[in-house]
């Protein structure tokens, strides 16, 4: 059962305050203050975990984020003299904070050393401020930076997750792959990346909630997961397939919208092809996990992973299957 301590509640409040200050600021200094408040609030949350590797992950995260904040602060006055170099440094610092490739080297190790709830915050909430900054600062010069990072992120996220057996690293590489689609959505408009980010957050929360409740950290634990709760197991694999973008699940809808924007705006077809290829690879290792877990499960290999209230997670398949009901909603509306 998840217990929230008073200091975690306080630092969670200041974490959200840092995000609000950063995205609503009109000056570089206030924006930097919001980023630092967000960083200094997340570090105590990371170290509050009972995991012995949490301190190491918190130190890695602090050093990387401090490097990104220092680069961002140094690039702001440089914009008066070298505007193009300043834009390049700013976007590089934001990509470093996001954990997007080719600056992704810190993201999977940090994810591996923290708990599932902290991983969810790192994958979703901590990415709001850098993405919002990139969407407001985008220009003709920065589009090539975003395109390059999106292509590399899609390939790294897809290929990096193929040979992983640790679930947190699989989810982290999947997050890097989703970052490629988010960067592509930034190129079009704010509404597009907001829709994609909201759908990604909901699906990630549905996956993490089940993995956290059963304390699943390895691929072998999925094979022997709670054989007496088949609806729970089905809800997990529906959520995983939705995270991979398999139609008709919820994760396919924002990707379809981005594909339509690519075709309507006649943006680089090569970029779109690479994104689709990487999405197929991520879907492949999610299908491998799902099929292996269903086929290889037997009563001889069952373990004692029991959930306190399995019925609370039965709503998760309906969340990922919600696109099936959209035509009915439109039918009754019109």
């Amino acid at each position: 059962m998840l217990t929230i301590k008073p200091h975690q509640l306080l630092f969670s409040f200041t974490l959200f305050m840092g995000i609000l200050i950063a995205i609503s600021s009109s000056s570089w200094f206030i924006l930097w203050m919001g980023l630092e408040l967000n960083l200094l609030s997340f570090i105590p949350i990371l170290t509050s975990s009972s995991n012995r590797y949490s301190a190491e992950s918190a130190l890695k995260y602090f050093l990387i984020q401090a490097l990104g904040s220092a680069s961002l602060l140094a690039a702001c006055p440089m914009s008066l003299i070298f505007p193009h170099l300043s834009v390049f440094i700013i976007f590089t610092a934001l990509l470093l904070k996001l954990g997007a490739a080719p600056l992704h080297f810190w993201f999977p190790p940090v994810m591996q050393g923290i708990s599932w709830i902290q991983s969810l915050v790192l994958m979703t909430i901590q990415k709001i401020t850098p993405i919002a900054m990139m969407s407001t600062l985008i220009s003709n010069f920065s589009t090539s930076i975003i395109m390059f990072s999106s292509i590399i992120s899609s390939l790294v996220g897809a290929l990096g997750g193929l040979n992983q057996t640790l679930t947190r690293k699989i989810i982290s590489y999947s997050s890097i792959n989703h970052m490629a689609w988010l960067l592509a959505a930034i190129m079009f408009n704010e509404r597009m990346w907001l829709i994609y980010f909201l759908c990604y957050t909901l699906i990630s929360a549905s996956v993490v909630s089940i993995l956290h409740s059963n304390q699943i950290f390895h691929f072998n634990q999925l094979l022997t997961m709670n054989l007496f709760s088949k609806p729970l197991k089905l809800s997990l694999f529906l959520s995983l397939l939705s995270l991979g973008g398999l139609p008709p699940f919820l994760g396919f809808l924002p990707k379809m919208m981005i594909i339509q924007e690519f075709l309507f705006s006649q943006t680089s077809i090569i970029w779109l092809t690479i994104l689709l290829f990487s999405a197929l690879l991520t879907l492949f290792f999610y299908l491998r996990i799902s099929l292996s877990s269903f086929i290889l499960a037997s009563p001889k290999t069952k373990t004692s992973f029991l959930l306190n209230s399995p019925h609370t997670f039965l709503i998760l398949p309906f969340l990922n299957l919600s696109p099936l009901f959209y035509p009915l909603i439109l039918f009754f509306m019109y």
Side-chain angles (χ1 to χ4, degrees):
M1 185 177 178
L2 181 63
T3 57
I4 300 177
K5 300 176 182 178
H7 72 277
Q8 291 178 335
L9 192 62
L10 172 64
F11 287 123
S12 299
F13 175 74
T14 55
L15 184 141
F16 281 102
M17 282 297 297
I19 294 174
L20 293 176
I21 291 172
I23 63 177
S24 61
S25 64
S26 58
S27 68
W28 285 107
F29 184 71
I30 302 297
L31 187 146
W32 175 77
M33 286 180 59
L35 285 173
E36 292 305 303
L37 179 61
N38 175 264
L39 169 61
L40 295 178
S41 301
F42 191 52
I43 296 297
I45 295 176
L46 290 181
T47 55
S48 63
S49 176
S50 58
N51 188 354
R52 61 179 179 174
Y53 298 109
S54 60
E56 180 185 351
S57 296
L59 180 60
K60 290 178 182 177
Y61 182 77
F62 172 74
L63 293 175
I64 291 297
Q65 296 298 315
L67 176 62
S69 297
S71 303
L72 185 67
L73 193 62
C76 297
M78 195 185 297
S79 60
L80 300 174
I81 306 172
F82 306 107
H84 290 299
L85 180 60
S86 175
V87 170
F88 176 78
I89 295 176
I90 288 172
F91 274 84
T92 303
L94 293 175
L95 291 173
L96 179 66
K97 282 180 166 292
L98 283 171
L103 303 171
H104 67 285
F105 54 89
W106 63 272
F107 193 74
V110 170
M111 281 273 292
Q112 183 58 32
I114 58 180
S115 68
W116 275 116
I117 302 300
Q118 295 165 354
S119 301
L120 179 63
V121 175
L122 181 61
M123 289 189 298
T124 56
I125 297 174
Q126 291 300 96
K127 293 184 178 181
I128 294 176
T129 305
I131 294 174
M133 289 177 61
M134 292 179 74
S135 65
T136 54
L137 297 173
I138 192 167
S139 61
N140 292 330
F141 177 74
S142 60
T143 52
S144 58
I145 303 173
I146 293 177
M147 179 179 176
F148 173 75
S149 179
S150 175
I151 292 174
I152 299 298
S153 297
S154 64
L155 295 175
V156 167
L159 298 175
L162 288 176
N163 61 344
Q164 297 296 328
T165 57
L166 301 171
T167 51
R168 278 176 294 189
K169 283 200 171 182
I170 291 175
I171 298 298
S172 68
Y173 280 106
S174 173
S175 178
I176 294 172
N177 181 262
H178 281 282
M179 182 51 57
W181 288 86
L182 265 173
L183 291 174
I186 290 173
M187 296 287 295
F188 301 115
N189 51 59
E190 288 188 1
R191 182 178 61 89
M192 187 65 63
W193 77 260
L194 280 172
I195 292 173
Y196 193 98
F197 184 80
L198 180 61
C199 292
Y200 171 67
T201 303
L202 290 174
I203 300 167
S204 298
S206 66
V207 173
V208 168
S209 60
I210 300 177
L211 296 176
H212 171 71
S213 299
N214 290 271
Q215 290 297 293
I216 295 174
F217 300 109
H218 198 275
F219 179 70
N220 290 336
Q221 292 174 286
L222 283 172
L223 302 182
T224 59
M225 171 191 167
N226 198 4
L227 298 173
F228 296 105
S229 180
K230 289 187 171 54
L232 174 65
K233 197 169 187 178
L234 180 63
S235 66
L236 172 63
F237 295 126
L238 288 181
S239 301
L240 285 175
L241 295 178
S242 179
L243 190 63
L246 181 70
F249 298 116
L250 180 63
F252 173 69
L253 278 183
K255 289 185 177 180
M256 183 183 67
M257 294 173 63
I258 293 175
I259 292 170
Q260 288 179 337
E261 288 291 333
F262 265 103
L263 297 177
F264 290 154
S265 61
Q266 294 182 351
T267 316
S268 175
I269 300 299
I270 300 176
W271 185 5
L272 177 60
T273 305
I274 295 173
L275 288 176
L276 291 175
F277 171 74
S278 67
L280 288 176
L281 283 180
T282 55
L283 188 59
F284 166 74
F285 60 75
Y286 282 134
L287 279 171
R288 183 187 64 178
I289 294 172
S290 304
L291 293 177
S292 300
S293 301
F294 276 114
I295 293 171
L296 299 179
S298 67
K300 294 180 182 179
T301 58
K302 71 175 185 294
T303 59
S304 60
F305 294 118
L306 296 176
L307 194 66
N308 294 329
S309 54
H311 297 290
T312 57
F313 294 100
L314 295 183
I315 194 172
L316 297 177
F318 295 99
L319 170 68
N320 293 291
L321 287 170
S322 59
L324 294 176
F325 302 101
Y326 293 166
L328 294 177
I329 296 174
L330 294 175
F331 175 77
F332 287 116
M333 286 178 62
Y334 297 100

